[in-house]
Amino acid sequence: MSAPDHALKAVRDRIESACREAGRDPDSVRLLAVSKTRDSDEIRALHTRGQTAFGENYVPELVAKHDTLEAPPAPLGLEWHFIGALQGNKTRAVAERATWVHTIDRERIARRLSAQRPAGMPPLQVCLQVNISTEPQKAGVAPAEAAALAAAVHDLPGLVLRGLMAIPAAAESPQRQREPFARLRALRDHLNARGHTLDTLSMGMSGDLEAAILEGATVVRIGTALFGPRP
Ligand SMILES: *Cc1c(COP(=O)(O)O)cnc(C)c1O
């Protein structure tokens, strides 16, 4: 097996066995291939093997790879997920290219993305990024402020609020690693009890995807385990 075949199979196997342990259908967890720092050919190699959703953290990389791979006459039609920090002056490039944005943590950015979403495209699918362990200096809305942000985002015509995303700090054991993921799920349930219909929990990376799946992840964002260590 080639390296991409091997890596994809290994990650899919991990997802499947975590789903088995959790009593979940493996089709309920989507694999988002995090292609930051990787080039367009590496994305193509995974796409050839059936991978369609790719995550980018840096706006210039999203622009370069999207515009290469989606150029006529043979656009790949990938799902582009933006999962990085977003500044106000970079929202237009994302609104014009992304299918999803996982990192909405303030209303101003959400308003700009909604206003800049081109009329001919379907609404942008979004998650609120939550600072689930309330760590200082970390991106994400505070859990106590998530309901207000969710209400504001819900009203924006260019966006569809799909769920919550978090990047918890590494814990000292797999068991402890489940705690922040469980809190994110509880917050999603709380918002749904208040009238939202959030179906997405974007949580789990190469090192902790099992803990995230056991707590209900519906999207795992995997870089290193698919592409190898980043340069
Ligand atoms: C880089 C990154 C990932 C992937 O991390 P790995 O540990 O390489 O799997 C997932 N989510 C976000 C937001 C990232 O920045």
Side-chain angles (χ1 to χ4, degrees):
M1 258 198 292
S2 72
D5 283 324
H6 191 272
L8 250 187
K9 180 176 181 331
V11 170
R12 286 180 180 148
D13 286 350
R14 282 177 66 188
I15 292 172
E16 268 184 39
S17 59
C19 284
R20 210 173 305 118
E21 186 181 345
R24 298 182 56 193
D25 178 352
D27 290 339
S28 68
V29 179
R30 287 198 77 200
L31 171 57
L32 177 63
V34 175
S35 43
K36 64 182 175 206
T37 78
R38 302 296 165 175
D39 65 25
S40 297
D41 288 337
E42 292 176 279
I43 294 177
R44 267 186 212 284
L46 283 195
H47 173 251
T48 305
R49 292 164 173 83
Q51 178 64 31
T52 54
F54 291 86
E56 290 289 341
N57 284 62
Y58 308 106
V59 176
E61 280 195 56
L62 170 72
V63 169
K65 289 176 239 180
H66 171 282
D67 293 3
T68 299
L69 295 171
E70 303 299 353
L76 293 188
L78 303 179
E79 224 179 74
W80 295 90
H81 293 239
F82 188 75
I83 61 171
L86 199 43
Q87 289 142 12
N89 61 349
K90 299 271 179 64
T91 51
R92 184 176 298 279
V94 173
E96 291 175 349
R97 291 171 179 82
T99 320
W100 283 73
V101 173
H102 293 228
T103 43
I104 304 284
D105 65 359
R106 52 201 194 279
E107 190 177 338
R108 194 175 79 88
I109 295 293
R111 286 191 179 285
R112 290 181 66 95
L113 287 170
S114 177
Q116 293 167 344
R117 184 68 167 171
M121 293 178 81
L124 193 52
Q125 313 292 304
V126 302
C127 292
L128 306 185
Q129 182 175 358
V130 181
N131 185 355
I132 197 63
S133 304
T134 329
E135 297 167 86
Q137 316 296 335
K138 193 129 168 199
V141 64
E145 278 144 38
L149 182 58
V153 170
H154 178 79
D155 288 339
L156 294 171
L159 309 184
V160 177
L161 180 59
R162 293 293 300 272
L164 304 179
M165 176 272 211
I167 314 172
E172 59 276 22
S173 71
Q175 188 57 35
R176 299 299 301 272
Q177 193 66 61
R178 291 176 61 168
E179 294 168 4
F181 295 133
R183 288 199 298 278
L184 195 71
R185 179 181 57 180
L187 181 58
R188 189 268 316 264
D189 294 345
H190 170 75
L191 295 174
N192 282 350
R194 295 173 60 135
H196 289 285
T197 51
L198 307 184
D199 61 11
T200 300
L201 285 173
S202 167
M203 57 189 200
M205 316 200 324
S206 294
D208 57 12
L209 73 87
E210 286 84 0
I213 288 173
L214 286 167
E215 296 300 343
T218 65
V219 179
V220 292
R221 307 179 311 267
I222 308 299
T224 310
L226 282 176
F227 293 105
R230 280 180 289 276

